[in-house]
């Protein structure tokens, strides 16, 4: 999608600090971290919200889950982490993502 910040990050048109990736999924560090560790996990394909996930996205979703498990280990946050999905008025960027927060949380996402 042309006007989407996260699609531009996927395309390399906006710089980001990559944490990990698979064929269909990208994980990168949040520009304004809300916790000691704050990674965003997104599908490379533009899917707008959590409610737009369909059965056909099961492969993407399972890659997002698996990559998140690997990040919890590689970021060494397995003793203190949480996952957050914002929706509706809480969601600012209209490209599906979840927040992986680790260590001390400084503010709400
Ligand atoms: P939302 O409220 O939509 O769930 O959260 C969007 C998140 O994206 C926020 O935590 C915000 O800091 C992050 N964000 C917005 N624009 C950029 C950007 O250009 N680069 C990075 N790395 N993170 C961004
Ligand atoms: Zn997008």
């Amino acid at each position: 999608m042309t006007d989407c910040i996260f699609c531009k990050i996927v395309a390399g048109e906006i710089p980001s600090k990559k944490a990990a990736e698979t064929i269909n999924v990208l994980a990168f560090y949040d520009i304004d971290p809300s916790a000691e560790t704050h990674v965003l996990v997104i599908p490379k394909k533009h899917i707008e919200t959590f409610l737009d996930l369909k059965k056909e996205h099961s492969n993407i979703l399972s890659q997002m889950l698996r990559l998140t498990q690997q990040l919890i280990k590689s970021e060494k946050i397995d003793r203190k982490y949480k996952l957050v999905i914002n929706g509706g008025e809480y969601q600012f960027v209209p490209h599906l993502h979840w927040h992986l927060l680790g260590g001390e949380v400084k503010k709400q996402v």
Side-chain angles (χ1 to χ4, degrees), residues 11-62:
E13 291 163 14
I14 292 178
S16 69
K17 191 177 170 211
K18 194 199 297 180
E21 72 178 322
T22 68
I23 294 173
N24 301 118
V25 176
L26 177 66
F28 57 97
Y29 295 95
D30 197 290
I31 202 165
D32 180 21
S34 294
E36 285 176 289
T37 300
H38 188 168
V39 176
L40 299 170
V41 181
I42 71 167
K44 290 182 180 176
K45 177 189 165 81
H46 185 85
I47 300 168
E48 208 157 297
T49 76
F50 179 67
L51 291 178
D52 295 317
L53 278 172
K54 300 194 168 62
K55 205 172 175 187
E56 72 209 49
H57 300 127
S58 60
N59 185 36
I60 292 173
L61 186 57
S62 70

Side-chain angles (χ1 to χ4, degrees), residues 2 9 20 55 60 62 64-65 70 82 93 99 108:
T2 39
I9 286 177
K55 205 172 175 187
I60 292 173
S62 70
M64 288 176 73
L65 288 167
Q70 289 168 357
K82 57 172 82 187
V93 178
H99 301 252
Q108 254 195 336

